[in-house]
Amino acid sequence: MIDSILPGAILILGSLIVPLFKGRKKNLYVVILPAITFYLIWKLKLGSHLNFHFFGLDIIPLRVDRLSKVFGYIFTLNAFVAFIYSFWLDDDSQLLPALLYIGCSLGVVFSGDLLTLYIFWEGMAIFSTFLILARKTEKSQKAAMRYIMVHISGGLILLAGIVLFLFNTGSLVFEQMKSSDPATLLILIGFLLNAAAPPLSAWLPDAYPESTVTGGVILSAYTTKTAVYTLVRGFAGWHILVIVGCIMTIYGIIYALLENDMRRILAYSIINQVGFMVCGVGIGTEIALNGTVAHAFCHIIYKALLWMSAGSVLYMTGRSRCTDLGGLYKTMPLTLIFGGIGALSISAFPATSGFTSKSMIIEGAVHEHMIWTWIVLQVASAGVFLHAGIKFPYFVFFAKDSGLRPGETNRSMLLAMAIMSFICIFLGVYPDPLYNVLPYRVEYSAYHLEHVSSQLQLLMFSALVFFLFLPLLKRTETISIDTDWVYRKGAPLFYKIMDRGLNGLNELCERIFILKMVGKISEFFAVAPQEVLSFIFAPFWKIRGRDVSYLREDIFRAIDKGAMPIGLSAGSAIVFLIVIYLFL
């Protein structure tokens, strides 16, 4: 019985009764839901599936294997801790879409066909938008509008690929893609958009920093990681992903170093870290894919921890720009410690989770003798320590004293950060529980002298570079221009062009053609019967030797007075209609 329950359905259906609870009971209920879902996923047997036929197609809403289970574990674990973090929150407009969003994410990773995946994929886009809107500021509303438009476009690209895939293969089963035809390329583009691959990445740093305090924690975990899951499932070994991943790692670092807003720094850092995962998918070997999945698992934990620390600062100070912060170590020491553990983890410092996961991807490049990929990933590793390992905590908690004395954040936030910090260190010291649930057997150990020493040297060199070039890295009141500039400026420009161009054309047509033509046509039909009758009777009138001009005057006068014989009027009308029929 338990093997036929969709894990995502627990969160989706459970969200419907959230408004029935009040106060702490509501928060407790929301925390329990992902815990129940985690237990269900743990009890699901490998190989379990649920399928039915729909118009002759195999629809598989539930497919359980090692890959889907490991993503299910981390999705529900992160949800559990995130809702502890938001235990102080009494806002259905955030709790409801969060549960629906996470439920749809689980729907994606446990779906076995492209139709089911697409339905949950679009559900993720819709419900995640509400986490941005929930902040209820002008910036968040505009960012949410851009966010949903980008994801609608990506969804249409994905749908087009699915339709072509069905036409080509006659099946919707989602397995490894074996050909690079237009259908699979469209599907790949749709997945890469959610993975935030440049130049389709600007939606992430544009939208996530504008979300609510708790919304940012939840958003950081799911959209990009479901994209990583789909890439592992369908595109492992596609070499183009190695190139895309390498670009992402450098791209994220550059923009994170330029940023002034602490949550935008973390947003660009997501692009950088997902780049490692995309690169691992492209390498496609067992160790690289294990590293990709392990790194996705660990990334969700330490990135959520970083967003929690940044959210705590935002919650207590109301400020997010580095130039407005600093000196917070004096009154927020626990937030600093927990945020520091997250910063060390993302930097792959030994004894943290990032060290035991990211190194597997780099090792995969070494095994395949991909020297340039190895160099890029090593440079990117150093860059991570620069922007997330040092820059983020330094400018937020140290640097100049901004005079802010907010005090420590609330207990639920601290508890959530403490849990995530413990997991970061636990998996860094003892990664076997994670290695045991990865898709393939793990025969790798990060703790050998050469690797530990080289990683420490790399990190120390990065720290030296940071403090040597600190005057150049100090933040100023600047705005980084990303590819979202194209549609931020291009969309209004396109609207103006279309508005003035098409409406101007309408006005021109109305003035030149329509009014004049309508006038001419109305004038013609006002005298058409008289003219036709004059033309018809003119020969007879001449035979009788009478002046034709008098005939025309008599006909016009008779029609104006309504004195024309009925038969004659009817006949002329019939003749007129025959002429129109013959010539038109």
Side-chain angles (χ1 to χ4, degrees), residues 364-393:
V366 173
H367 284 184
E368 295 301 301
H369 307 290
M370 303 172 73
I371 182 65
W372 285 108
T373 302
W374 177 82
I375 291 172
V376 170
L377 295 183
Q378 289 288 62
V379 171
S381 296
V384 172
F385 192 48
L386 280 176
H387 74 262
I390 303 178
K391 177 184 174 179
F392 166 71

Side-chain angles (χ1 to χ4, degrees), residues 516-531:
K516 290 186 177 181
M517 288 181 65
V518 168
K520 295 295 183 182
I521 291 172
S522 62
E523 289 177 7
F524 170 75
F525 281 104
V527 297
Q530 297 93 315
E531 295 291 353

Side-chain angles (χ1 to χ4, degrees), residues 176 231-232 234-242 279-285 289:
Q176 282 290 329
L231 292 175
V232 174
F235 295 93
W238 282 47
H239 186 72
I240 185 65
L241 295 179
V242 175
C279 193
V281 176
I283 296 171
T285 59
L289 293 177

Side-chain angles (χ1 to χ4, degrees), residues 199-386:
L200 309 174
S201 60
W203 60 266
L204 195 157
D206 177 33
Y208 283 12
E210 301 304 329
S211 63
T212 61
V213 169
T214 57
V217 175
I218 294 169
L219 288 169
S220 68
Y222 295 99
T223 297
T224 51
K225 305 318 168 301
T226 53
V228 170
Y229 161 81
T230 57
L231 292 175
V232 174
R233 175 73 71 184
F235 295 93
W238 282 47
H239 186 72
I240 185 65
L241 295 179
V242 175
I243 300 172
V244 172
C246 288
I247 292 172
M248 290 177 71
T249 59
I250 303 301
Y251 185 91
I253 289 171
I254 293 172
Y255 272 94
L257 288 172
L258 293 174
E259 262 304 327
N260 181 35
D261 186 286
M262 64 175 176
R263 298 216 297 175
R264 283 178 66 88
I265 292 173
L266 297 180
Y268 277 114
S269 180
I270 293 176
I271 299 174
N272 160 265
Q273 292 294 290
V274 173
F276 280 90
M277 303 170 207
V278 173
C279 193
V281 176
I283 296 171
T285 59
E286 289 189 1
I287 187 173
L289 293 177
N290 274 338
T292 295
V293 176
H295 198 49
F297 192 103
C298 294
H299 175 264
I300 288 175
I301 295 169
Y302 61 64
K303 184 60 71 174
L305 177 56
L306 288 167
W307 278 86
M308 286 176 181
S309 62
S312 298
V313 171
L314 178 62
Y315 178 73
M316 296 303 296
T317 66
R319 302 183 185 185
S320 186
R321 293 182 299 181
C322 293
T323 47
D324 297 333
L325 297 169
L328 296 180
Y329 72 94
K330 297 177 181 178
T331 56
M332 301 185 74
L334 293 177
T335 301
L336 166 61
I337 292 171
F338 296 140
I341 292 173
L344 292 175
S345 296
I346 195 174
S347 305
F349 203 87
T352 64
S353 57
F355 180 74
T356 55
S357 61
K358 185 190 298 181
S359 56
M360 294 174 70
I361 300 174
I362 299 175
E363 190 71 16
V366 173
H367 284 184
E368 295 301 301
H369 307 290
M370 303 172 73
I371 182 65
W372 285 108
T373 302
W374 177 82
I375 291 172
V376 170
L377 295 183
Q378 289 288 62
V379 171
S381 296
V384 172
F385 192 48
L386 280 176

Side-chain angles (χ1 to χ4, degrees), residues 436-448:
N436 290 337
V437 297
L438 294 178
Y440 306 101
R441 183 180 177 183
V442 177
E443 296 179 352
Y444 171 78
S445 175
Y447 288 101
H448 52 84

Side-chain angles (χ1 to χ4, degrees), residues 133-201:
L133 288 170
R135 195 171 179 184
K136 299 176 183 178
T137 63
E138 183 180 356
K139 283 187 176 181
S140 68
Q141 291 175 356
K142 291 181 178 179
M145 179 60 69
R146 292 189 293 269
Y147 175 88
I148 192 61
M149 292 302 292
V150 169
H151 282 281
I152 286 174
S153 301
L156 290 174
I157 293 171
L158 176 60
L159 180 60
I162 293 172
V163 171
L164 286 176
F165 182 83
L166 175 61
F167 179 79
N168 292 338
T169 65
S171 172
L172 288 173
V173 177
F174 183 34
E175 298 289 354
Q176 282 290 329
M177 301 293 180
K178 296 180 175 59
S179 62
S180 56
D181 53 32
T184 54
L185 291 177
L186 287 173
I187 293 172
L188 177 60
I189 292 171
F191 290 160
L192 285 176
L193 187 144
N194 271 28
L200 309 174
S201 60

